[in-house]
Amino acid sequence: MEVDPRRALLTCAGDPRGDIAEGALWLAAEDCAEVDVARALRTIDALARDLGDRLGSARGAEAIVIIRALLRERVGLRLSGGGDPRAHYLHLVLQRGAGIPISCAVLWMAVGRRAGLSVEGIGLPGHFGIRVDGVLAEPADGEVLDEDGAVRMVAAATGADPGRLQPSWLRPATSRLMLARMSRNLRGCYSSLERWDMALRAADRCVALFPEEPTERRDRGLLLWRAGQNRAALRDLRHYLDAAPAEAGDRDAVEEVAGRLRAALN
């Protein structure tokens, strides 16, 4: 029986012990017809076996050096700009080597955990890191980060110097949070390319992953408006306006759009 990618993705997101690589591959399968999830997982398993052979007793910073070398050698892992949709999908990162930080982090987590390491995804503002046995690193190039280095990375990504890392930034990201962040990145990427069908699919995934989050409905509603689906757009924007706090900074702008939609539908 054929597996529904969205249902499989949500199952992975709901399992605290779920495999983030499998979830990311089901995300890709929803968007890309050529994805063979089982084959990609076998590739990751093979990488993990190779890593296990190389690790020995290495942990932390030593393990990071070994993982970095393995992924460069076997995958050609390197940083890619977020404007290319291919850099967002795990199966294409495995094939091409080029990925944005979070898709690189998924690969680190999948390979490292299968080899017995503690590897966590860390959702820093404007960037995504990994932590191996308590040591923070940048996933595209494997650079070990002390606090000053991480602060500089956040400042470069956001355009604002945070001064120091907030403890909440260093909490491990759940599979659900990572899959939603990947979908938001794709939503933005496809919107920039004016590929509204793909942007809407990513936005719909965000709503499915966080159905109680009003901003996900708002963002989908604005995309529906751009795509000319006025009735569905108005439903989402009404939901946002009913659920968002009165002091929300964008309330006036969203109310204006909703008013224009109501006028167009009357």
Side-chain angles (χ1 to χ4, degrees):
M1 184 175 65
E2 188 174 348
V3 179
D4 176 65
R6 175 69 63 84
R7 183 173 297 177
L9 177 146
L10 292 174
T11 297
C12 291
D15 183 355
R17 295 167 297 179
D19 181 8
I20 183 58
E22 184 179 354
L25 288 166
W26 285 120
L27 183 157
E30 186 172 62
D31 288 359
C32 310
E34 76 276 8
V35 180
D36 184 331
V37 172
R39 183 171 64 184
L41 289 173
R42 287 195 295 271
T43 298
I44 291 170
D45 289 342
L47 289 169
R49 288 193 295 271
D50 194 346
L51 177 60
D53 292 340
R54 299 184 188 198
L55 271 176
S57 61
R59 292 296 182 269
E62 290 182 356
I64 289 171
V65 172
I66 295 168
I67 299 171
R68 176 179 61 196
L70 170 73
L71 294 180
R72 283 182 176 174
E73 174 190 323
R74 294 284 302 277
V75 181
L77 192 66
R78 61 196 184 280
L79 182 65
S80 175
D84 184 348
R86 296 175 298 176
H88 298 253
Y89 294 117
L90 181 57
H91 73 295
L92 293 176
V93 174
L94 282 167
Q95 292 173 21
R96 301 173 60 248
I100 64 170
I102 193 169
S103 58
C104 294
V106 169
L107 185 56
W108 275 72
M109 293 168 68
V111 174
R113 287 175 175 181
R114 281 167 168 77
L117 297 171
S118 170
V119 188
E120 300 166 320
I122 305 298
L124 297 168
H127 204 82
F128 204 89
I130 45 97
R131 188 163 56 207
V132 180
D133 295 327
V135 180
L136 189 64
E138 202 287 324
D141 63 13
E143 178 189 359
V144 173
L145 297 169
D146 59 15
E147 180 161 354
D148 288 343
V151 166
R152 287 193 298 271
M153 190 170 67
V154 170
T158 64
D161 186 350
R164 62 184 181 86
L165 299 179
Q166 301 297 321
S168 61
W169 299 348
L170 298 174
R171 293 175 188 149
T174 64
S175 291
R176 185 177 298 274
L177 285 169
M178 291 183 67
L179 293 169
R181 185 160 174 164
M182 294 173 80
S183 295
R184 292 186 198 108
N185 288 341
L186 281 163
R187 184 182 67 200
C189 175
Y190 282 124
S191 294
S192 296
L193 297 171
E194 298 187 0
R195 294 181 60 182
W196 304 119
D197 58 335
M198 299 299 291
L200 276 170
R201 185 180 295 170
D204 192 60
R205 267 198 306 270
C206 292
V207 172
L209 286 161
F210 284 101
E212 304 304 320
E213 175 51 59
T215 58
E216 302 295 359
R217 294 287 290 270
R218 176 202 63 198
D219 291 344
R220 186 177 69 178
L222 293 172
L223 277 172
L224 286 163
W225 173 49
R226 293 290 300 271
Q229 300 183 42
N230 290 354
R231 199 171 300 278
L234 184 56
R235 282 197 299 269
D236 271 353
L237 297 184
R238 280 175 172 164
H239 181 279
Y240 172 71
L241 292 169
D242 288 343
E247 65 274 13
D250 63 350
R251 176 174 284 277
D252 289 346
V254 174
E255 284 180 339
E256 180 185 355
V257 174
R260 292 166 63 181
L261 287 168
R262 282 192 293 270
L265 290 167
N266 286 338

